[in-house]
Amino acid sequence: MIEIVRYLDTLLETSTIPDYPNAINGLQLANGGAIRKIAACVDFSTRTISHAIEEKANLLLVHHGMFWGGLRPITGPAYERLRMLLENDIAVYASHLPLDRHPIFGNNVLLSRQLGLGASGEFAQYKGIAIGVSGNADIATNELLERARRFAQTHGGDVVTTVIPEGRRTLRWAICTGGGASADTLQEAAETGVDTLIVGEGPHWTAVEAAELDIIIIYAGHYATETLGVGALAQHLAEKFNLEWTMIHAPTGL
């Protein structure tokens, strides 16, 4: 396990990428030693732990980790999750923004490829680093919407969008997966000439503000847009370290 953790920490630049306090990127829970099978999932939950046990996996690779909800007593569901992990000797490794931004295994670059877009620039600055990607295109925005819809529906979600005028084309786009619609990303989109912003989700007001800025937002689902990175990373680890792996799907509906 130590070798895998060191490799992940180096690959993802875990110690140098800033993140939200509760992300706690890296190894969150150790196990007794050797890893035999990896289970990848978006969210740490009782549901995903149960599936990992069924799959006989003993490394849970997650995007949203054990402490996402903040400090809380280890009682009730929190106790049950910890008990299940310890009794089944399952380690937990979490990667949030380091995985979002990775140039090979990142959620953003992988989503751009899924949508048939060629990323040529950065987007979504956070504490001096770029989390998302951007690029140029010449595509009917409704066609891009349909691509996003097909993607979302095969990854546990669906899309909603701001109003798309008839005949509108996307010439400059940006992607920030997960909760990517915010005051910061809308301002950055406006300043950099982005006309179409593809995100996971965002507050209602962002749809109102986007219309004022003449920006179309495609909300493709928080869960769906963040399934790609953990799966790609788990597959890479399995190939490198000669391990089995599985993807655990537990859609949230968001």
Side-chain angles (χ1 to χ4, degrees):
M1 181 183 71
I2 293 174
E3 184 180 2
I4 293 175
V5 169
R6 286 175 178 167
Y7 178 76
L8 283 171
D9 286 347
T10 300
L11 177 70
L12 299 167
E13 301 179 85
T14 299
S15 65
T16 60
I17 302 301
D19 210 326
Y20 307 123
N22 294 341
I24 311 182
N25 294 306
L27 184 66
Q28 295 190 335
L29 181 68
N31 75 346
I35 300 301
R36 61 177 178 269
K37 186 174 182 179
I38 304 165
C41 57
V42 175
D43 302 298
F44 175 81
S45 67
T46 303
R47 202 167 33 148
T48 51
I49 297 170
S50 296
H51 284 303
I53 293 170
E54 290 173 7
E55 292 286 342
K56 295 182 170 47
N58 65 339
L59 172 58
L60 196 59
L61 182 64
V62 301
H63 188 52
H64 303 128
M66 297 175 66
F67 311 105
W68 203 250
L71 292 174
R72 64 184 68 182
I74 304 176
T75 59
Y79 167 78
E80 181 62 18
R81 290 191 294 268
L82 186 58
R83 181 192 65 78
M84 294 167 69
L85 292 168
L86 294 175
E87 288 184 356
N88 291 277
D89 198 30
I90 298 174
V92 180
Y93 189 101
S95 188
H96 184 235
L97 294 187
L99 182 57
D100 278 330
R101 71 178 294 274
H102 196 272
I104 299 172
F105 304 110
N107 286 313
N108 289 283
V109 70
L110 291 176
L111 180 58
S112 71
R113 292 174 188 166
Q114 287 279 324
L115 299 179
L117 301 171
S120 58
E122 299 178 334
F123 185 71
Q125 298 293 321
Y126 177 76
K127 294 187 176 181
I129 62 168
I131 306 303
V133 294
S134 62
N136 299 318
D138 188 356
I139 180 175
T141 307
N142 272 318
E143 168 59 25
L144 187 55
L145 172 64
E146 287 308 308
R147 292 182 189 181
R149 178 172 288 117
R150 288 193 294 270
F151 166 80
Q153 289 177 343
T154 58
H155 289 79
D158 207 337
V159 300
V160 294
T161 186
T162 51
V163 177
I164 301 176
E166 185 177 354
R168 188 185 191 279
R169 299 189 70 80
T170 291
L171 301 179
R172 181 155 182 81
W173 57 269
I175 293 176
C176 186
T177 60
S182 68
D184 289 341
T185 55
L186 280 174
Q187 180 179 350
E188 185 177 347
E191 291 174 351
T192 57
V194 167
D195 55 62
T196 306
L197 178 58
I198 303 161
V199 301
E201 64 170 329
H204 175 267
W205 69 262
T206 59
V208 179
E209 182 67 13
E212 299 290 327
L213 297 171
D214 196 26
I215 295 171
I216 299 298
I217 303 182
I218 297 173
Y219 304 88
H222 196 135
Y223 176 87
T225 61
E226 297 195 323
T227 56
L228 298 172
V230 285
L233 185 59
Q235 181 178 3
H236 172 71
L237 287 177
E239 292 170 355
K240 181 173 179 62
F241 291 97
N242 194 28
L243 298 168
E244 294 183 68
W245 82 281
T246 187
M247 183 73 190
I248 296 173
H249 287 288
T252 61
L254 299 176

